[in-house]
Amino acid sequence: DRKHKVTVIGSGNWGSTISKIIAENTKAHPNLFEEEVQMWVYEEEVEYEGQTQKLTTVINNHHENIKYLPKVKLPTNLVANPSLEDAVSNSTILIFNLPHQFIHRICSQIKGKIVPFARGISCIKGVNVTDEGVSLFSEWIGDDLGIYCGALSGANIASEIAAEKWSETTIAYDPPPMDSSRNPSRVTTPRSATPNRATSQQNAAELSITPLANMQHKDARGRTSKTKLTPVPPEFPPLDHETFKTLFHRPYFHVRMVSDVAGVSLGGALKNIVALAAGFVDGRGWGDNAKAAIMRLGLLEMVKFGKEFFGETVSTGTFTEESAGVADLITSCSGGRNFRCAKKAVERGISVQEVEQTELNGQKLQGTSTAVEVNSFLKRRDLEHDYPLFTAVFNILEGNNTVDDIPELVAKADA
Ligand code: NAD
Ligand code: 13P
């Protein structure tokens, strides 16, 4: 039987950590996956051992992403590739893991160049706001590339997971009907000790053949998607909950599989706005009570947003019970980059963007742009007042309000 080839698109702090997890699992499950995992790297030059070198060269020679995930050994079956087209070619599983501001360009570059029956998982925390409305990156990637794409999100500060400290995550995947339960006996398939490279290469060469008819499926809002999917050929392991759990689950990274793609994606995006607010009040020296109040109000606005704009499918339980909801909110408001940069900005009296540029060594905040994008979406619909915390964060970033205004601004939520 054929195996899935996996590519991770992105190699930042989280991209490199997820690549490590996946490469460990492809090696551990040679019956399902090709051992070698491709990781697309946005190429740049770095200083290493007194020389200027390409980041991909350093990763491939020393198995460490010295810029975005220093001091963490990466598996040797993880290959850094500076060519996006080459990295995705013949891959049947695509993992999107890069700052959300770059995803549009990446998708346009690989459109039409991927395996038609590929399936994706988006690890991106952000929402896509356009004149027409708000969409999830999982949705947007799926529609743009003509594939099905689920979402992974959780209380997942990358550095802790890279150090193999235990955490949980949530993967939302609502597989198209033709992908699931085609081969329930596969778990009993004997596992060979080493992957069969000849078979893997042969697989790759034949992947462009897609003899099966296109089929329709439901999108994250429960509507019939305009995207016509190509079924995964039966000779491949099905791309269902079990396969994705196997790809991501580690003893230190526990995966819960759910079907609420909208709830999981929104949790990861909106908590970043709340984390900025938590950083603002902490930087102001207001202590844990104020931070807890921010988290309570933030969670309410997250649920309200989900119900208002994705009500057909989103489940409140995703926000209140899953790692992708309340747990991510708590960890992000405790030690995330958005929280830390917002806190420093208030302490030093400078902008969050300034802290991002000077402190993060190229890593990108998602909360600042998400706050602006969500605000422009709400403003266009005259709904800013219904989301006072999200609106306050936007106005503080823009210099229209100060942290001291927060209590009065959010009091309107209870009025
Ligand atoms: P990061 O913040 O480390 O961002 C840097 C990455 O962006 C690098 O790989 C860099 O090469 C790339 N980059 C810079 N300019 C680029 C360009 N013009 N085009 C394409 N790529 C470019 O990234 P990350 O932490 O891996 O975050 C990816 C996603 O994962 C984000 O949505 C984030 O919210 C989410 N996330 C992050 C963490 C975390 O702890 N870091 C945890 C969970 C989820
Ligand atoms: P930051 O991007 O704020 O570091 O958040 C990381 C995260 O998503 C933790 O789950």
Side-chain angles (χ1 to χ4, degrees):
D1 272 3
R2 292 177 166 193
K3 303 169 184 197
H4 290 290
K5 179 184 169 194
V6 189
T7 295
V8 181
I9 300 167
S11 55
N13 193 232
W14 187 223
S16 301
T17 303
I18 278 289
S19 298
K20 172 180 178 292
I21 288 171
I22 285 176
E24 287 168 0
N25 276 332
T26 57
K27 194 177 169 77
H29 300 281
N31 56 322
L32 294 175
F33 309 110
E34 290 187 19
E35 181 172 333
E36 185 181 290
V37 172
Q38 290 279 314
M39 175 173 76
W40 173 68
V41 175
Y42 178 74
E43 188 68 288
E44 56 190 296
E45 303 216 308
V46 289
E47 288 303 312
Y48 188 72
E49 293 180 335
Q51 280 183 316
T52 303
Q53 300 190 39
K54 293 203 182 311
L55 182 56
T56 49
T57 308
V58 177
I59 295 174
N60 288 332
N61 290 343
H62 303 281
H63 309 291
E64 182 182 341
N65 186 339
I66 57 157
K67 177 150 185 194
Y68 294 104
L69 193 62
K71 301 193 173 39
V72 173
K73 265 287 162 249
L74 298 172
T76 51
N77 57 321
L78 179 66
V79 176
N81 191 335
S83 161
L84 183 58
E85 287 86 344
D86 189 53
V88 299
S89 88
N90 294 319
S91 282
T92 51
I93 299 179
L94 302 173
I95 311 299
F96 297 86
N97 197 330
L98 69 169
H100 79 276
Q101 42 272 52
F102 305 127
I103 190 68
H104 287 152
R105 195 176 48 77
I106 295 310
C107 282
S108 60
Q109 234 178 297
I110 59 175
K111 208 170 175 165
K113 295 175 185 151
I114 59 170
V115 173
F117 60 85
R119 300 287 182 254
I121 296 283
S122 162
C123 305
I124 298 164
K125 291 187 175 175
V127 281
N128 186 46
V129 173
T130 61
D131 285 347
E132 292 87 59
V134 61
S135 63
L136 314 168
F137 278 108
S138 47
E139 236 181 344
W140 190 87
I141 291 167
D143 288 345
D144 200 47
L145 298 180
I147 61 173
Y148 178 79
C149 187
L152 178 151
S153 188
N156 296 150
I157 290 181
S159 54
E160 295 177 13
I161 297 164
E164 304 191 1
K165 295 175 182 172
W166 172 68
S167 75
E168 297 181 303
T169 201
T170 316
I171 297 178
Y173 196 79
D174 197 8
M178 66 276 201
D179 283 6
S180 46
S181 311
R182 283 183 296 105
N183 181 11
S185 66
R186 76 190 191 288
V187 283
T188 58
T189 306
R191 293 173 180 190
S192 63
T194 51
N196 181 338
R197 291 198 60 84
T199 311
S200 298
Q201 278 158 18
Q202 190 188 358
N203 284 346
E206 292 170 14
L207 287 186
S208 53
I209 305 164
T210 52
L212 299 170
N214 290 341
M215 290 178 77
Q216 283 188 318
H217 71 111
K218 298 270 186 228
D219 69 9
R221 301 170 209 236
R223 304 169 304 201
T224 299
S225 171
K226 285 187 277 265
T227 305
K228 295 227 171 83
L229 295 176
T230 306
V232 178
E235 56 271 33
F236 281 86
L239 287 174
D240 57 7
H241 277 196
E242 196 176 331
T243 300
F244 279 107
K245 186 162 183 169
T246 307
L247 186 62
F248 285 94
H249 192 90
R250 297 295 298 155
Y252 59 88
F253 190 61
H254 284 198
V255 172
R256 275 172 59 84
M257 299 296 304
V258 300
S259 298
D260 181 5
V261 178
V264 165
S265 304
L266 287 174
L270 299 175
K271 63 85 191 177
N272 282 330
I273 308 177
V274 187
L276 289 172
F280 290 151
V281 300
D282 212 21
R284 187 73 181 79
W286 285 351
D288 292 338
N289 295 337
K291 208 157 67 156
I294 291 291
M295 287 190 227
R296 182 187 80 84
L297 291 159
L299 187 59
L300 289 177
E301 290 189 22
M302 287 163 62
V303 173
K304 184 177 164 64
F305 193 96
K307 285 286 174 196
E308 190 159 358
F309 304 111
F310 291 83
E312 303 88 340
T313 52
V314 95
S315 153
T316 303
T318 305
F319 296 105
T320 56
E321 292 164 26
E322 294 298 336
S323 183
V326 64
D328 192 11
L329 183 71
I330 294 168
T331 203
S332 298
C333 292
S334 310
R337 297 168 300 184
N338 286 284
F339 165 76
R340 286 187 279 116
C341 289
K343 180 176 168 156
K344 277 191 185 157
V346 173
E347 285 168 347
R348 296 178 190 170
I350 56 176
S351 71
V352 179
Q353 287 85 349
E354 233 175 306
V355 181
E356 178 184 20
Q357 266 153 32
T358 53
E359 301 276 321
L360 286 188
N361 192 29
Q363 293 182 35
K364 306 282 179 212
L365 294 183
Q366 304 286 269
T368 42
S369 44
T370 304
V372 173
E373 288 151 5
V374 167
N375 182 264
S376 87
F377 170 76
L378 293 174
K379 196 177 275 164
R380 221 174 288 136
R381 285 156 186 79
D382 204 17
L383 288 172
E384 277 179 296
H385 284 90
D386 289 353
Y387 295 87
L389 184 68
F390 292 171
T391 305
V393 170
F394 168 76
N395 280 317
I396 292 168
L397 289 170
E398 293 292 304
N400 306 328
N401 281 120
T402 68
V403 182
D404 288 356
D405 298 328
I406 289 180
E408 199 193 321
L409 293 170
V410 298
K412 289 176 188 154
D414 296 324

